[in-house]
Amino acid sequence: MKGKVALYALFLALVAAGVWWWEGSRTPQPRNLVAALLLLPLFAFVLWLKIDWAPEQASRRQLAKEGGATTKRSASDEITDAAERP
């Protein structure tokens, strides 16, 4: 997980730097750079949730609905399973 989040953070930073360079903007102020460095891991974590974690959880739930055995369950699975029961 940490490796993918770091990879996504690097990707986001490179895209932001590329856009900044392409548009020929002036150098960002230090407070904006600090804000970007603080927000970059958060955005990378959200990207990891969307791309990697959510599809895995969805396929695990689909397999459980079809009657297949799951190898690993988490507390969030039990909460959502309980919410789906009548």
Side-chain angles (χ1 to χ4, degrees):
M1 176 194 124
K2 292 178 185 177
K4 286 247 181 157
V5 171
L7 182 67
Y8 292 147
L10 178 65
F11 173 72
L12 289 172
L14 290 174
V15 168
V19 168
W20 171 74
W21 178 76
W22 184 260
E23 293 188 2
S25 301
R26 59 188 167 98
T27 307
Q29 295 177 355
R31 63 182 174 164
N32 292 343
L33 290 175
V34 169
L37 288 176
L38 292 175
L39 290 174
L40 203 57
L42 176 67
F43 292 151
F45 180 70
V46 170
L47 193 61
W48 174 79
L49 284 176
K50 172 95 172 105
I51 293 175
D52 294 327
W53 184 80
E56 179 183 320
Q57 295 297 319
S59 64
R60 186 175 295 154
R61 284 191 199 107
Q62 185 65 28
L63 183 64
K65 281 184 182 179
E66 293 172 356
T70 58
T71 58
K72 186 169 92 174
R73 292 185 58 89
S74 66
S76 65
D77 289 337
E78 293 177 13
I79 291 170
T80 55
D81 291 343
E84 293 173 355
R85 288 187 213 130

